[in-house]
Coordinates of all heavy atoms in Angstrom, one line a residue:
M1 N 418.4 218.0 -106.0 CA 417.0 217.6 -106.2 C 416.2 218.8 -106.1 O 416.4 219.7 -105.2 CB 416.6 216.5 -105.2 CG 417.4 215.2 -105.4 SD 416.8 213.7 -104.7 CE 415.1 213.9 -104.5
P2 N 415.2 219.0 -107.0 CA 414.4 220.2 -107.0 C 413.7 220.5 -105.7 O 413.7 221.7 -105.3 CB 413.4 219.9 -108.1 CG 413.9 218.8 -108.9 CD 414.8 218.0 -108.0
E3 N 413.2 219.6 -105.0 CA 412.4 219.8 -103.8 C 413.3 219.8 -102.5 O 413.0 220.6 -101.6 CB 411.3 218.9 -103.6 CG 410.2 218.9 -104.7 CD 409.2 217.9 -104.7 OE1 409.2 217.1 -103.7 OE2 408.4 217.8 -105.6
D4 N 414.3 218.9 -102.5 CA 415.1 218.7 -101.3 C 416.4 219.4 -101.3 O 417.1 219.5 -100.3 CB 415.3 217.2 -101.0 CG 414.0 216.5 -100.8 OD1 413.1 217.1 -100.2 OD2 413.9 215.3 -101.2
G5 N 416.8 219.9 -102.5 CA 418.1 220.6 -102.6 C 419.2 219.6 -102.7 O 419.0 218.4 -103.1
W6 N 420.4 220.0 -102.4 CA 421.6 219.1 -102.6 C 421.6 218.1 -101.4 O 421.4 218.4 -100.3 CB 422.9 220.0 -102.5 CG 423.0 220.8 -103.7 CD1 422.7 222.1 -103.8 CD2 423.5 220.4 -105.0 NE1 423.0 222.6 -105.1 CE2 423.4 221.6 -105.9 CE3 423.9 219.2 -105.5 CZ2 423.8 221.5 -107.2 CZ3 424.3 219.2 -106.9 CH2 424.3 220.3 -107.6
I7 N 422.0 216.9 -101.8 CA 422.1 215.8 -100.9 C 423.5 215.2 -100.9 O 424.0 215.0 -101.9 CB 421.1 214.7 -101.2 CG1 419.6 215.2 -101.2 CG2 421.2 213.4 -100.3 CD1 418.6 214.2 -101.7
P8 N 424.1 215.1 -99.7 CA 425.5 214.5 -99.7 C 425.4 213.0 -100.1 O 424.5 212.3 -99.7 CB 425.9 214.7 -98.3 CG 424.7 214.8 -97.5 CD 423.7 215.4 -98.4
I9 N 426.4 212.6 -100.8 CA 426.4 211.2 -101.3 C 427.8 210.5 -100.9 O 428.8 211.2 -100.7 CB 426.2 211.0 -102.8 CG1 427.3 211.7 -103.6 CG2 424.8 211.6 -103.2 CD1 427.2 211.4 -105.1
A10 N 427.8 209.2 -100.9 CA 429.0 208.4 -100.7 C 429.1 207.5 -101.9 O 428.3 206.7 -102.2 CB 428.9 207.6 -99.4
I11 N 430.2 207.8 -102.7 CA 430.3 207.0 -103.9 C 431.2 205.8 -103.5 O 432.3 205.9 -103.1 CB 431.1 207.8 -105.0 CG1 430.2 209.0 -105.3 CG2 431.4 207.0 -106.2 CD1 430.9 210.0 -106.4
H12 N 430.6 204.6 -103.7 CA 431.2 203.3 -103.3 C 432.2 202.8 -104.3 O 433.1 202.0 -104.0 CB 430.2 202.3 -103.0 CG 429.3 202.6 -101.9 ND1 429.7 202.6 -100.5 CD2 428.1 203.1 -101.8 CE1 428.8 202.9 -99.8 NE2 427.7 203.3 -100.5
R13 N 432.0 203.2 -105.6 CA 433.0 202.8 -106.7 C 433.0 203.9 -107.7 O 432.0 204.6 -107.9 CB 432.6 201.5 -107.3 CG 431.2 201.4 -108.0 CD 431.0 200.0 -108.5 NE 430.1 199.4 -107.5 CZ 429.4 198.4 -107.7 NH1 429.4 197.8 -108.8 NH2 428.6 197.8 -106.8
P14 N 434.0 204.1 -108.4 CA 434.1 205.2 -109.4 C 433.1 205.0 -110.5 O 432.8 203.8 -110.9 CB 435.6 205.1 -109.9 CG 436.0 203.8 -109.6 CD 435.3 203.3 -108.4
I15 N 432.6 206.1 -111.0 CA 431.6 206.1 -112.1 C 432.4 206.1 -113.4 O 433.1 207.0 -113.7 CB 430.6 207.2 -112.0 CG1 429.9 207.2 -110.7 CG2 429.7 207.2 -113.2 CD1 429.0 208.3 -110.5
A16 N 432.3 205.0 -114.2 CA 433.0 204.9 -115.5 C 432.1 205.2 -116.6 O 430.9 204.8 -116.6 CB 433.6 203.5 -115.6
G17 N 432.5 206.0 -117.6 CA 431.7 206.4 -118.7 C 430.9 207.6 -118.5 O 431.0 208.3 -117.5
K18 N 430.1 207.9 -119.5 CA 429.2 209.1 -119.5 C 427.9 208.7 -118.9 O 427.2 207.8 -119.3 CB 429.0 209.6 -120.9 CG 428.2 210.9 -121.0 CD 428.0 211.3 -122.4 CE 427.2 212.6 -122.5 NZ 426.9 213.0 -123.9
I19 N 427.4 209.5 -117.9 CA 426.2 209.2 -117.2 C 425.0 209.6 -118.1 O 424.9 210.7 -118.7 CB 426.1 210.1 -115.9 CG1 427.2 209.7 -114.9 CG2 424.7 209.9 -115.3 CD1 427.2 210.5 -113.7
K20 N 424.1 208.6 -118.3 CA 423.0 208.8 -119.2 C 421.6 208.9 -118.4 O 420.8 209.7 -118.9 CB 422.8 207.5 -120.1 CG 423.9 207.4 -121.2 CD 423.8 208.5 -122.2 CE 424.7 208.2 -123.3 NZ 424.5 209.2 -124.4
N21 N 421.5 208.3 -117.3 CA 420.2 208.3 -116.5 C 420.6 208.1 -115.1 O 421.4 207.3 -114.7 CB 419.3 207.2 -117.1 CG 418.0 207.2 -116.4 OD1 417.6 208.3 -115.9 ND2 417.3 206.1 -116.4
V22 N 419.9 208.8 -114.2 CA 420.0 208.7 -112.8 C 418.7 208.5 -112.1 O 417.7 209.2 -112.4 CB 420.7 209.9 -112.2 CG1 420.8 209.8 -110.6 CG2 422.1 210.1 -112.7
T23 N 418.6 207.5 -111.3 CA 417.3 207.2 -110.6 C 417.6 207.4 -109.1 O 418.5 206.8 -108.5 CB 416.8 205.8 -110.9 OG1 416.6 205.7 -112.3 CG2 415.5 205.5 -110.2
V24 N 416.7 208.2 -108.4 CA 416.8 208.4 -107.0 C 415.6 207.7 -106.3 O 414.5 208.0 -106.8 CB 416.9 209.9 -106.6 CG1 417.0 210.1 -105.1 CG2 418.0 210.6 -107.3
S25 N 415.8 206.9 -105.3 CA 414.7 206.2 -104.7 C 414.9 206.2 -103.2 O 416.0 206.3 -102.7 CB 414.5 204.8 -105.2 OG 415.7 204.0 -105.0
T26 N 413.8 206.0 -102.4 CA 413.9 205.9 -101.0 C 413.3 204.6 -100.6 O 412.2 204.3 -101.0 CB 413.3 207.1 -100.3 OG1 413.4 206.9 -98.9 CG2 411.8 207.3 -100.7
I27 N 414.0 203.9 -99.7 CA 413.5 202.6 -99.2 C 413.7 202.6 -97.7 O 414.8 202.7 -97.2 CB 414.1 201.4 -99.8 CG1 413.9 201.4 -101.3 CG2 413.6 200.1 -99.2 CD1 414.7 200.3 -102.1
T28 N 412.6 202.5 -96.9 CA 412.6 202.5 -95.5 C 413.5 203.6 -94.9 O 414.4 203.3 -94.1 CB 413.0 201.2 -94.9 OG1 414.3 200.8 -95.3 CG2 412.1 200.0 -95.3
G29 N 413.3 204.8 -95.4 CA 414.0 205.9 -94.8 C 415.4 206.2 -95.4 O 416.0 207.2 -95.1
G30 N 415.9 205.3 -96.2 CA 417.2 205.4 -96.8 C 417.1 205.9 -98.3 O 416.2 205.4 -99.0
W31 N 418.0 206.7 -98.7 CA 418.0 207.2 -100.1 C 419.0 206.4 -100.9 O 420.2 206.2 -100.4 CB 418.3 208.7 -100.1 CG 417.3 209.6 -99.6 CD1 417.1 209.9 -98.3 CD2 416.2 210.1 -100.3 NE1 416.0 210.7 -98.2 CE2 415.4 210.8 -99.4 CE3 415.8 210.1 -101.7 CZ2 414.2 211.5 -99.8 CZ3 414.6 210.7 -102.0 CH2 413.9 211.4 -101.1
F32 N 418.7 206.0 -102.1 CA 419.6 205.3 -102.9 C 419.6 205.9 -104.3 O 418.5 206.4 -104.8 CB 419.1 203.8 -103.1 CG 419.1 203.1 -101.8 CD1 418.0 203.1 -101.0 CD2 420.3 202.5 -101.3 CE1 417.9 202.4 -99.8 CE2 420.3 201.9 -100.1 CZ 419.1 201.8 -99.3
V33 N 420.7 205.9 -104.9 CA 420.9 206.5 -106.3 C 421.5 205.5 -107.2 O 422.6 204.9 -106.8 CB 421.8 207.8 -106.2 CG1 422.0 208.3 -107.6 CG2 421.2 208.9 -105.4
S34 N 420.9 205.2 -108.3 CA 421.6 204.3 -109.3 C 421.7 205.1 -110.6 O 420.9 205.9 -111.0 CB 420.7 203.1 -109.5 OG 419.4 203.4 -110.0
A35 N 422.9 204.9 -111.2 CA 423.2 205.6 -112.4 C 423.5 204.7 -113.6 O 424.2 203.7 -113.4 CB 424.4 206.5 -112.2
Q36 N 422.9 205.0 -114.8 CA 423.2 204.2 -116.0 C 424.2 205.0 -116.8 O 424.1 206.2 -117.0 CB 422.0 204.0 -116.8 CG 420.9 203.1 -116.1 CD 419.7 203.0 -117.0 OE1 419.5 203.6 -117.9 NE2 418.8 202.1 -116.5
T37 N 425.3 204.3 -117.2 CA 426.3 205.0 -118.0 C 426.5 204.3 -119.3 O 426.1 203.2 -119.5 CB 427.7 204.9 -117.2 OG1 428.0 203.6 -117.0 CG2 427.6 205.6 -115.9
A38 N 427.1 205.1 -120.2 CA 427.5 204.6 -121.6 C 428.9 204.4 -121.7 O 429.7 205.3 -121.4 CB 427.0 205.5 -122.6
L39 N 429.4 203.2 -122.0 CA 430.8 202.9 -122.2 C 431.0 202.4 -123.6 O 430.2 201.8 -124.2 CB 431.3 201.8 -121.2 CG 431.3 202.1 -119.7 CD1 431.6 200.9 -118.9 CD2 432.4 203.1 -119.5
E40 N 432.3 202.7 -124.1 CA 432.6 202.1 -125.4 C 433.2 200.7 -125.1 O 434.0 200.5 -124.2 CB 433.7 202.9 -126.1 CG 433.1 204.2 -126.6 CD 434.0 204.8 -127.7 OE1 434.7 204.0 -128.4 OE2 434.0 206.0 -127.8
A41 N 432.6 199.7 -125.8 CA 433.0 198.3 -125.6 C 434.4 198.1 -126.2 O 434.7 198.5 -127.4 CB 432.0 197.4 -126.3
I42 N 435.3 197.4 -125.5 CA 436.6 197.1 -126.0 C 436.5 195.6 -126.4 O 436.4 194.8 -125.5 CB 437.6 197.3 -124.9 CG1 437.7 198.8 -124.5 CG2 439.0 196.9 -125.4 CD1 438.5 199.1 -123.4
I43 N 436.6 195.4 -127.7 CA 436.5 194.0 -128.1 C 437.9 193.5 -128.4 O 438.6 194.0 -129.3 CB 435.6 193.9 -129.4 CG1 434.2 194.4 -129.1 CG2 435.5 192.5 -129.9 CD1 433.3 194.6 -130.3
P44 N 438.3 192.5 -127.7 CA 439.7 191.9 -127.9 C 439.8 191.2 -129.3 O 438.8 190.6 -129.8 CB 439.9 191.0 -126.8 CG 438.6 190.6 -126.4 CD 437.7 191.7 -126.6
A45 N 441.0 191.3 -129.9 CA 441.2 190.6 -131.1 C 441.2 189.1 -130.9 O 441.8 188.6 -129.9 CB 442.5 191.1 -131.8
N46 N 440.7 188.3 -131.8 CA 440.6 186.9 -131.7 C 441.9 186.3 -132.2 O 442.2 186.5 -133.4 CB 439.4 186.3 -132.5 CG 439.2 184.8 -132.2 OD1 439.9 184.3 -131.4 ND2 438.3 184.2 -132.9
S47 N 442.6 185.6 -131.4 CA 443.9 185.0 -131.8 C 443.8 183.5 -132.2 O 444.7 182.9 -132.5 CB 444.9 185.2 -130.7 OG 444.5 184.5 -129.5
R48 N 442.6 183.0 -132.0 CA 442.4 181.5 -132.3 C 441.6 181.4 -133.6 O 441.0 182.3 -134.1 CB 441.6 180.9 -131.1 CG 442.3 181.0 -129.8 CD 441.5 180.3 -128.8 NE 442.1 180.4 -127.5 CZ 441.6 180.1 -126.3 NH1 440.3 179.7 -126.3 NH2 442.3 180.2 -125.2
P49 N 441.7 180.2 -134.2 CA 441.0 179.9 -135.4 C 439.5 179.9 -135.1 O 439.0 179.6 -134.0 CB 441.5 178.6 -135.9 CG 442.0 177.9 -134.7 CD 442.5 179.0 -133.8
A50 N 438.7 180.2 -136.2 CA 437.2 180.2 -136.0 C 436.7 178.8 -135.8 O 437.2 177.8 -136.3 CB 436.6 180.8 -137.3
V51 N 435.7 178.7 -135.0 CA 435.1 177.4 -134.7 C 433.6 177.5 -134.9 O 433.0 178.5 -134.4 CB 435.3 177.0 -133.2 CG1 434.6 175.7 -132.9 CG2 436.8 176.8 -133.0
G52 N 433.0 176.5 -135.6 CA 431.6 176.6 -135.8 C 431.0 175.2 -135.4 O 431.6 174.2 -135.5
I53 N 429.7 175.3 -134.9 CA 429.0 174.0 -134.6 C 427.7 174.0 -135.4 O 426.9 175.0 -135.3 CB 428.7 174.0 -133.1 CG1 430.0 173.9 -132.3 CG2 427.9 172.8 -132.7 CD1 429.9 174.0 -130.8
D54 N 427.4 173.0 -136.0 CA 426.2 172.8 -136.8 C 425.4 171.8 -136.1 O 425.8 170.6 -136.0 CB 426.5 172.4 -138.3 CG 425.2 172.3 -139.1 OD1 424.2 172.9 -138.7 OD2 425.3 171.6 -140.1
I55 N 424.2 172.1 -135.7 CA 423.3 171.2 -135.0 C 422.2 170.9 -136.1 O 421.4 171.7 -136.4 CB 422.7 171.8 -133.7 CG1 423.8 172.2 -132.8 CG2 421.7 170.8 -133.2 CD1 423.4 172.9 -131.6
G56 N 422.2 169.6 -136.5 CA 421.3 169.3 -137.6 C 420.4 168.1 -137.2 O 420.5 167.6 -136.1
G57 N 419.7 167.6 -138.2 CA 418.8 166.5 -138.0 C 419.4 165.1 -138.3 O 419.1 164.2 -137.6
V58 N 420.2 165.1 -139.3 CA 420.8 163.8 -139.7 C 421.9 163.4 -138.8 O 422.0 162.3 -138.3 CB 421.2 163.8 -141.2 CG1 421.9 162.5 -141.6 CG2 420.1 164.1 -142.1
Q59 N 422.8 164.3 -138.6 CA 423.9 164.2 -137.6 C 423.7 165.1 -136.5 O 423.4 166.3 -136.7 CB 425.3 164.4 -138.4 CG 425.5 163.4 -139.5 CD 426.6 163.9 -140.4 OE1 426.9 165.1 -140.5 NE2 427.1 163.0 -141.2
S60 N 423.9 164.6 -135.3 CA 423.6 165.4 -134.1 C 424.4 166.7 -134.1 O 423.9 167.8 -134.0 CB 423.9 164.6 -132.8 OG 423.7 165.4 -131.7
T61 N 425.7 166.6 -134.2 CA 426.6 167.8 -134.1 C 427.8 167.6 -135.1 O 428.4 166.5 -135.1 CB 427.1 168.0 -132.7 OG1 426.0 168.0 -131.8 CG2 427.9 169.3 -132.6
A62 N 428.1 168.6 -135.9 CA 429.3 168.6 -136.7 C 430.1 169.8 -136.4 O 429.6 170.9 -136.5 CB 428.9 168.5 -138.2
L63 N 431.4 169.6 -136.1 CA 432.3 170.7 -135.8 C 432.9 171.2 -137.1 O 432.9 170.5 -138.1 CB 433.3 170.3 -134.8 CG 432.8 169.7 -133.5 CD1 434.0 169.3 -132.6 CD2 431.9 170.7 -132.8
S64 N 433.4 172.4 -137.1 CA 434.0 173.1 -138.3 C 435.3 172.3 -138.7 O 435.7 172.4 -139.9 CB 434.4 174.5 -138.0 OG 435.2 174.7 -136.9
G65 N 435.9 171.6 -137.8 CA 437.1 170.8 -138.2 C 436.8 169.5 -138.9 O 437.7 168.8 -139.3
G66 N 435.5 169.2 -139.1 CA 435.1 168.0 -139.8 C 434.7 166.9 -138.9 O 434.3 165.8 -139.3
T67 N 434.9 167.0 -137.6 CA 434.5 166.0 -136.6 C 433.0 165.9 -136.5 O 432.3 167.0 -136.3 CB 435.1 166.4 -135.2 OG1 436.5 166.6 -135.4 CG2 434.9 165.2 -134.2
V68 N 432.5 164.7 -136.6 CA 431.0 164.5 -136.5 C 430.8 163.8 -135.1 O 431.3 162.7 -134.9 CB 430.5 163.7 -137.6 CG1 429.0 163.5 -137.5 CG2 430.7 164.5 -138.9
L69 N 429.9 164.3 -134.3 CA 429.6 163.7 -133.0 C 428.3 163.0 -133.2 O 427.3 163.5 -133.9 CB 429.5 164.7 -131.9 CG 430.7 165.6 -131.7 CD1 430.4 166.6 -130.6 CD2 431.9 164.7 -131.3
G70 N 428.2 161.8 -132.7 CA 426.9 161.0 -132.9 C 425.8 161.5 -132.0 O 426.0 162.3 -131.1
I71 N 424.6 161.0 -132.3 CA 423.4 161.4 -131.6 C 423.4 160.7 -130.2 O 423.6 159.5 -130.1 CB 422.2 161.0 -132.3 CG1 422.1 161.8 -133.7 CG2 420.9 161.3 -131.5 CD1 421.0 161.4 -134.6
A72 N 423.3 161.5 -129.2 CA 423.3 160.9 -127.8 C 421.9 160.2 -127.5 O 420.9 160.8 -127.7 CB 423.5 162.0 -126.8
R73 N 421.9 159.0 -127.2 CA 420.7 158.2 -126.9 C 420.6 158.0 -125.4 O 421.6 157.7 -124.7 CB 420.8 156.8 -127.6 CG 421.0 156.9 -129.1 CD 419.7 157.1 -129.7 NE 419.9 157.1 -131.2 CZ 419.2 157.8 -132.0 NH1 418.4 158.7 -131.6 NH2 419.4 157.7 -133.3
P74 N 419.4 158.2 -124.8 CA 419.3 158.0 -123.4 C 419.3 156.5 -123.0 O 418.9 155.7 -123.8 CB 417.9 158.6 -123.1 CG 417.2 158.5 -124.4 CD 418.2 158.7 -125.5
A75 N 419.8 156.3 -121.9 CA 419.9 154.9 -121.4 C 418.5 154.4 -121.0 O 417.5 155.2 -120.8 CB 420.8 154.8 -120.2
Q76 N 418.3 153.1 -120.9 CA 417.0 152.5 -120.6 C 416.6 153.0 -119.2 O 415.4 153.2 -119.0 CB 417.1 151.0 -120.6 CG 417.2 150.4 -122.0 CD 416.0 150.8 -122.9 OE1 414.9 150.7 -122.5 NE2 416.3 151.1 -124.1
T77 N 417.5 153.1 -118.2 CA 417.0 153.6 -116.9 C 416.5 155.0 -117.0 O 415.6 155.3 -116.2 CB 418.2 153.4 -115.9 OG1 419.3 154.2 -116.4 CG2 418.6 152.0 -115.7
E78 N 417.1 155.8 -117.8 CA 416.6 157.2 -118.0 C 415.3 157.2 -118.6 O 414.4 158.0 -118.2 CB 417.6 158.0 -118.8 CG 418.9 158.3 -118.1 CD 419.9 159.1 -119.1 OE1 419.9 158.7 -120.3 OE2 420.5 160.0 -118.6
L79 N 415.1 156.4 -119.6 CA 413.7 156.3 -120.3 C 412.6 155.9 -119.2 O 411.6 156.4 -119.3 CB 413.8 155.3 -121.4 CG 414.5 155.8 -122.6 CD1 414.6 154.6 -123.7 CD2 413.9 157.0 -123.3
R80 N 413.0 154.9 -118.4 CA 412.0 154.5 -117.4 C 411.6 155.7 -116.4 O 410.5 155.9 -116.1 CB 412.5 153.3 -116.6 CG 412.2 152.0 -117.2 CD 412.6 150.8 -116.3 NE 413.6 150.1 -117.0 CZ 414.8 149.8 -116.6 NH1 415.2 150.3 -115.4 NH2 415.7 149.2 -117.2
G81 N 412.7 156.4 -116.0 CA 412.4 157.5 -115.2 C 411.6 158.6 -115.8 O 410.7 159.2 -115.3
W82 N 411.8 158.9 -117.1 CA 411.1 159.8 -117.9 C 409.6 159.4 -118.0 O 408.7 160.2 -117.9 CB 411.7 160.1 -119.2 CG 413.0 160.8 -119.2 CD1 413.5 161.5 -118.1 CD2 413.9 160.9 -120.2 NE1 414.7 162.0 -118.4 CE2 415.0 161.7 -119.7 CE3 414.0 160.5 -121.6 CZ2 416.1 162.0 -120.5 CZ3 415.1 160.8 -122.3 CH2 416.1 161.5 -121.8
R83 N 409.4 158.1 -118.3 CA 408.0 157.6 -118.4 C 407.3 157.8 -117.1 O 406.1 158.1 -117.1 CB 408.1 156.1 -118.8 CG 408.4 156.0 -120.3 CD 408.3 154.5 -120.7 NE 409.0 154.3 -121.9 CZ 410.1 153.5 -122.0 NH1 410.5 152.8 -120.9 NH2 410.7 153.3 -123.1
R84 N 408.0 157.5 -116.0 CA 407.3 157.6 -114.7 C 407.0 159.0 -114.4 O 405.9 159.4 -113.9 CB 408.3 157.1 -113.6 CG 407.7 157.1 -112.2 CD 408.7 156.7 -111.1 NE 410.0 157.4 -111.2 CZ 410.2 158.6 -110.7 NH1 409.2 159.2 -110.1 NH2 411.4 159.1 -110.7
L85 N 407.9 160.0 -114.7 CA 407.6 161.4 -114.5 C 406.5 161.9 -115.4 O 405.8 162.9 -115.1 CB 408.9 162.2 -114.7 CG 410.0 162.0 -113.6 CD1 411.2 162.7 -114.0 CD2 409.5 162.5 -112.3
S86 N 406.3 161.3 -116.6 CA 405.3 161.8 -117.5 C 403.9 161.4 -117.1 O 402.9 162.0 -117.6 CB 405.6 161.3 -118.9 OG 405.4 159.9 -119.0
D87 N 403.8 160.5 -116.2 CA 402.5 160.1 -115.6 C 402.1 161.1 -114.6 O 402.2 161.0 -113.4 CB 402.5 158.7 -115.0 CG 402.8 157.6 -116.0 OD1 402.5 157.8 -117.2 OD2 403.3 156.6 -115.6
H88 N 401.5 162.2 -115.1 CA 401.2 163.4 -114.3 C 400.0 162.9 -113.4 O 399.1 162.3 -113.7 CB 400.8 164.5 -115.2 CG 400.7 165.8 -114.4 ND1 399.6 166.3 -113.8 CD2 401.7 166.7 -114.2 CE1 399.9 167.5 -113.2 NE2 401.2 167.7 -113.4
P89 N 400.1 163.4 -112.1 CA 399.0 163.0 -111.2 C 397.6 163.5 -111.6 O 396.6 162.8 -111.2 CB 399.4 163.8 -109.8 CG 400.9 164.0 -110.0 CD 401.1 164.2 -111.4
S90 N 397.5 164.5 -112.4 CA 396.2 164.9 -112.8 C 395.5 164.0 -113.8 O 394.3 163.9 -113.9 CB 396.2 166.3 -113.5 OG 397.0 166.2 -114.7
R91 N 396.3 163.1 -114.4 CA 395.8 162.1 -115.4 C 395.6 160.8 -114.7 O 395.1 159.8 -115.3 CB 396.8 161.9 -116.5 CG 396.9 163.2 -117.3 CD 397.7 162.9 -118.6 NE 398.1 164.1 -119.2 CZ 399.4 164.5 -119.3 NH1 400.4 163.7 -119.0 NH2 399.7 165.7 -119.9
Q92 N 395.9 160.6 -113.4 CA 395.7 159.3 -112.7 C 394.4 159.2 -112.0 O 393.8 160.3 -111.7 CB 396.9 159.1 -111.7 CG 398.2 159.0 -112.4 CD 399.3 158.9 -111.4 OE1 399.1 159.0 -110.1 NE2 400.5 158.8 -111.8
E93 N 394.0 158.0 -111.7 CA 392.8 157.8 -110.9 C 393.0 158.3 -109.5 O 394.1 158.2 -109.0 CB 392.4 156.3 -110.9 CG 392.0 155.8 -112.2 CD 390.7 156.3 -112.7 OE1 389.8 156.5 -111.9 OE2 390.5 156.6 -113.9
P94 N 392.0 158.9 -108.9 CA 392.2 159.4 -107.5 C 392.5 158.2 -106.6 O 391.8 157.1 -106.7 CB 390.9 160.1 -107.1 CG 390.0 159.9 -108.3 CD 390.7 159.3 -109.4
R95 N 393.4 158.3 -105.7 CA 393.7 157.2 -104.8 C 393.0 157.5 -103.4 O 393.0 158.6 -102.9 CB 395.2 157.1 -104.6 CG 395.9 156.8 -105.8 CD 397.4 156.7 -105.6 NE 398.0 156.4 -106.9 CZ 399.3 156.4 -107.1 NH1 400.1 156.8 -106.1 NH2 399.9 156.1 -108.3
V96 N 392.5 156.4 -102.9 CA 391.9 156.6 -101.6 C 392.8 156.1 -100.5 O 393.3 154.9 -100.6 CB 390.6 155.7 -101.5 CG1 389.9 155.8 -100.1 CG2 389.6 156.2 -102.6
V97 N 393.2 156.9 -99.5 CA 394.0 156.5 -98.5 C 393.2 156.3 -97.2 O 392.5 157.2 -96.8 CB 395.1 157.6 -98.2 CG1 396.0 157.2 -97.1 CG2 395.9 157.8 -99.5
V98 N 393.3 155.1 -96.6 CA 392.5 154.8 -95.4 C 393.5 154.7 -94.3 O 394.5 154.0 -94.3 CB 391.8 153.5 -95.5 CG1 391.0 153.1 -94.2 CG2 390.8 153.5 -96.7
I99 N 393.3 155.5 -93.3 CA 394.2 155.5 -92.1 C 393.5 154.9 -90.9 O 392.4 155.0 -90.6 CB 394.6 157.0 -91.7 CG1 395.3 157.6 -92.9 CG2 395.5 157.0 -90.5 CD1 395.7 159.0 -92.7

């Protein structure tokens, strides 16, 4: 470091790739160094057939194999719960509590 000189470090894990950026910071008397590195991505070859999902308006979901999944409808009990939750307290009349 320009002002403090060389500082001993403890490397907790090996640095993989080429170092692009290093940030040195101090928090409550302790010094911390974080390094950003550049790695080449290793993309594994796909051994499975391609799969696609189409989410549309007429049919809820159609898979690439031709399977069509129906539109999921909420149960009546879920609808009642959603209606209750949609009654936001700011839209309700103020309640008077007498103790």
Side-chain angles (χ1 to χ4, degrees):
M1 296 198 22
E3 296 174 5
D4 298 325
W6 290 99
I7 299 173
I9 62 169
I11 298 177
H12 297 284
R13 64 183 97 162
I15 299 173
K18 182 179 178 183
I19 297 175
K20 292 291 191 176
N21 184 23
V22 176
T23 303
V24 180
S25 58
T26 178
I27 299 174
T28 62
W31 290 89
F32 299 93
V33 176
S34 61
Q36 295 178 351
T37 61
L39 291 173
E40 287 200 30
I42 301 171
I43 301 172
N46 188 6
S47 62
R48 297 181 181 170
V51 175
I53 297 176
D54 181 22
I55 300 175
V58 176
Q59 297 164 340
S60 175
T61 307
L63 304 178
S64 60
T67 307
V68 177
L69 303 175
I71 298 174
R73 303 276 184 217
Q76 290 297 321
T77 54
E78 289 176 318
L79 288 175
R80 274 189 242 120
W82 291 345
R83 286 187 198 112
R84 183 182 52 81
L85 291 173
S86 69
D87 294 334
H88 196 268
S90 65
R91 297 189 193 119
Q92 295 177 357
E93 293 290 325
R95 296 179 182 169
V96 177
V97 178
V98 179
I99 300 177

